[in-house]
Amino acid sequence: MGKERLEQAFEKCSQKGEKAFIPYIMAGDGGLDILKQQLLFLQEAGADAVELGIPFSDPVADGPVIQEAGKRALQQGVSLRGILETLTSIRTEIKIPIILMTYLNPVFTYGAGQFAADCAAAGVDGCIIPDMPLEEEGIISGELKQSGIALVRLVTLTSPAERIKKIADGAEGFLYAVTIKGTTGARDHFEEETGRFLQQVRSVSNVPVLAGFGISTPQHVREAGKYCDGTVVGSKIIQLLSAAAFNEITDLIQAAKGKVLS
Amino acid sequence: MSTYVQPDQNGHFGPYGGRFVPETLMTAVLELEKAYDEAIQDDNFQKEMEYYLTQYIGRENPLYYAENLTKYAGGAKIYLKREDLNHTGAHKINNTIGQALLTARMGKKKVVAETGAGQHGVATATVCALLNLECIIFMGKEDVARQKLNVFRMELLGAKVVSVDQGSGTLKDAVNEALRYWVANVDDTHYIMGSVLGPHPFPKIVRDFQSVIGNETKRQFSEITGGLPDAIVACIGGGSNAMGMFYPFIEDSGVSLVGVEAAGSGIDTEKHAATLTKGKKGILHGSLMYLLQDDDGQIQEAHSISAGLDYPGVGPEHSLLKDMGRVQYASVTDKEALDAFILLSRTEGIIPALESSHAVAYAVGHAKEMRPEQNLVICLSGRGDKDVETIQKLMGGHSIG
Ligand SMILES: Cc1ncc(COP(=O)(O)O)c(C=O)c1O
């Protein structure tokens, strides 16, 4: 449970000589009724964990695709409370770790202590909070720690080497390496600078390093896998899910497992 | 009152403020803090500021005794701090000139900003033209429609204006897009925040640059009367004109300070922007502050006739000052602000910005309850030329009569 379940998932990948793949979906996009079905599909398709987005009215770190998905979820009346309740009721059927990606305000309003406790009860294993840098972690880190939930930190292309070290120090679960200067969404190609950045992060990290933001093709997934321990794919997964392009999702995931050639 | 030193080293105003931004922006925010700390120690920077404030913006502007308005109210003497007379017509340029000079010091060539009423956008586009900086302004679709003249002014000044149709198409959504743009272009771009909002050090920098309002007022008032005013009233959008006016008076406990928020259709309706009156603590756009939000922590849309007050948050320092009880926060409806807009135009021949009209509306009522030997200062944050079309439409093309 919690942090350990995440660690075990990565351990399993590295034993098999594979890269980890974590798809991102927006909780409640399409209604919370289908969440279980979505999670089961991703698990079947080979996802090592799932990153579950919590919809927020003002998602400043997200590009248009995730913004729209969040808006659809909010229009359905989806809330953090509802998501945690749903997870609690379906968690035993999902084996892979679940990581919440949430802006801070819904959590702050929920109450840090209550949030951490309810996350633990719902079988949440980690949290990513994109608008909470190292300096402000105190607002919730103690509560998460107490509940055994990993607080996954982000490092970015603009973080200087010294700062990357500071962030890597005491990182939990995995390090989320943001591979574009920009919001979530698509990019054309995988730059050389990005490879160097990933290697640099990996050289100072005691936990797996996963690349995310702007990763959208099997090619990107393979490319990133050369330099780090796996990838997170968000906007593209959301697009494919809403287009019911399930085979393409499987291809993306399997690219991390080295099984698809294209 | 004892000494007041805010924010702390990490940019917290008591429980408020902070730096709640994506990691991609942290380096820029830390760099800005360093650049600012160095700049204010640098005599050359101070001289440069002084030069532009006087020669370009036209400071100092008058502290005008509004005799007719005083007679109308029938109470305390009313003075107007004439920020409407600044170049570009509002207080916003006090801040943009400072931040543009900082941009140049940091070796950045591009500027991004949000705007609501368009006053901050115009003030930003203006200083960018002056200092040869590339300028991109994000503005909500709704605001683009109600402040057309200002959109054209920005374009005339060489800025690129991007209309934002996400969310309610107002200031909050413009800030979101401007922040996203900054995240993607942070290497060569500075974000000129338009109010005492955003991650540290913005609330402090904007307050400091705007403090020229309060400092001048203090000196001018003492020259006129030898003392301090009894009350000071300013409108609150994000809170920059109010913060700049109040800050130099915070330790003068005899001076009552009142911030006036927009009550829109009324604070008991769903259509208002009275953040401090009706909001709850929360985190948005880099800062912990009072926010209009629902029980799930989703941010609500603000509503005000005046685009510049149409924001669901309020500066972290105001949030603290409210909790401390040092500043009183009141609110004024659209209707009351409109009446004050016409009142000041008729009594003094000064057409105020709709934002500033909120301060005027409250102040007239407040002055009535004060004694004739007392004095009240209104921060007249801007002029109303930009609002004339809105007012005309609201009156259905009828003359005021
Ligand atoms: C004339 C004027 N006054 C006041 C405001 C509100 O901003 P603040 O509260 O930061 O002074 C604006 C904002 O656009 C404005 O244009």
Side-chain angles (χ1 to χ4, degrees), chain B residues 89-92 115-120 171 194-197 206 210 235-243 307-309 318 353-356 380-383 386:
Chain B
H91 68 294
K92 297 285 181 184
T115 196
Q119 289 305 101
H120 174 59
L171 186 51
S195 192
V196 284
L197 296 165
V206 178
Q210 290 294 2
C235 70
I236 309 255
S240 69
N241 85 87
M243 209 55 241
L309 305 184
H318 284 293
L354 266 175
E355 290 78 13
S356 323
L380 199 71
S381 56
R383 65 176 180 234
K386 70 185 175 59

Side-chain angles (χ1 to χ4, degrees), chain A:
Chain A
M1 289 294 279
K3 220 166 75 181
E4 289 77 42
R5 180 153 50 193
L6 255 178
E7 286 162 4
Q8 283 159 15
F10 291 121
E11 190 53 42
K12 218 164 86 189
C13 279
S14 89
Q15 275 167 10
K16 286 198 274 183
E18 295 175 354
K19 298 298 175 178
F21 186 97
I22 303 184
Y24 168 103
I25 60 172
M26 176 61 73
D29 180 16
L32 280 174
D33 300 345
I34 62 166
L35 183 59
K36 178 173 132 187
Q37 192 188 323
Q38 289 171 328
L39 293 173
L40 283 173
F41 162 71
L42 294 168
Q43 176 170 287
E44 281 305 298
D48 297 292
V50 173
E51 195 182 314
L52 198 54
I54 307 300
F56 182 51
S57 53
D58 295 83
V60 290
D62 286 305
V65 172
I66 295 181
Q67 285 176 42
E68 285 304 312
K71 212 157 109 188
R72 289 193 295 268
L74 288 176
Q75 277 161 359
Q76 300 245 5
V78 170
S79 67
L80 176 55
R81 194 172 302 278
I83 293 164
L84 289 174
E85 281 166 9
T86 305
L87 281 180
T88 308
S89 68
I90 63 174
R91 189 63 179 101
T92 52
E93 298 172 64
I94 318 289
K95 304 292 171 236
I96 55 178
I98 293 175
I99 302 144
L100 298 190
M101 167 97 154
T102 177
Y103 290 88
L104 190 51
N105 198 51
V107 172
F108 180 79
T109 303
Y110 200 98
Q114 193 65 46
F115 172 75
D118 290 358
C119 276
V124 169
D125 306 291
C127 275
I128 303 169
I129 305 178
D131 57 347
M132 186 179 75
L134 199 58
E135 285 78 356
E136 305 289 353
E137 276 180 2
I139 204 162
I140 190 164
S141 54
E143 286 83 353
L144 289 177
K145 189 158 258 134
Q146 208 170 20
S147 294
I149 294 165
L151 177 56
V152 175
R153 292 175 174 170
L154 299 105
V155 289
T156 65
L157 291 163
T158 57
S159 319
E162 266 310 296
R163 191 171 166 86
I164 292 179
K165 263 199 210 124
K166 235 164 84 183
I167 295 171
D169 210 34
E172 297 174 347
F174 64 94
L175 259 184
Y176 194 136
V178 176
T179 61
I180 43 173
K181 283 179 202 143
T183 50
T184 53
R187 64 129 70 73
D188 299 335
H189 60 290
F190 202 84
E191 306 80 3
E192 215 170 291
E193 181 195 3
T194 316
R196 277 199 302 275
F197 162 67
L198 290 172
Q199 279 172 323
Q200 182 203 355
V201 175
R202 204 164 182 234
S203 72
V204 295
S205 179
N206 297 316
V207 292
V209 174
L210 269 69
F213 282 45
I215 300 197
S216 61
T217 67
Q219 177 67 19
H220 292 158
V221 170
R222 276 190 293 272
E223 199 73 36
K226 289 185 199 158
Y227 307 104
C228 65
D229 305 293
T231 44
V232 181
V233 178
S235 298
K236 189 67 188 184
I237 294 280
I238 286 173
Q239 283 172 328
L240 293 173
L241 264 185
S242 61
F246 301 113
N247 290 339
E248 281 185 62
I249 294 179
T250 307
D251 286 351
L252 262 175
I253 297 178
Q254 293 304 321
K257 312 295 168 195
K259 285 176 195 151
V260 169
L261 292 174
S262 67

Side-chain angles (χ1 to χ4, degrees), chain B residues 186-225:
Chain B
V186 65
D187 287 343
D188 62 353
T189 305
H190 174 62
Y191 188 149
I192 298 195
M193 186 65 70
S195 192
V196 284
L197 296 165
H200 178 65
F202 283 111
K204 173 178 146 171
I205 291 181
V206 178
R207 173 197 72 193
D208 290 356
F209 285 148
Q210 290 294 2
S211 291
V212 65
I213 304 174
N215 285 327
E216 279 181 14
T217 301
K218 203 168 195 175
R219 184 167 36 44
Q220 291 169 315
F221 193 83
S222 141
E223 278 163 18
I224 300 169
T225 70

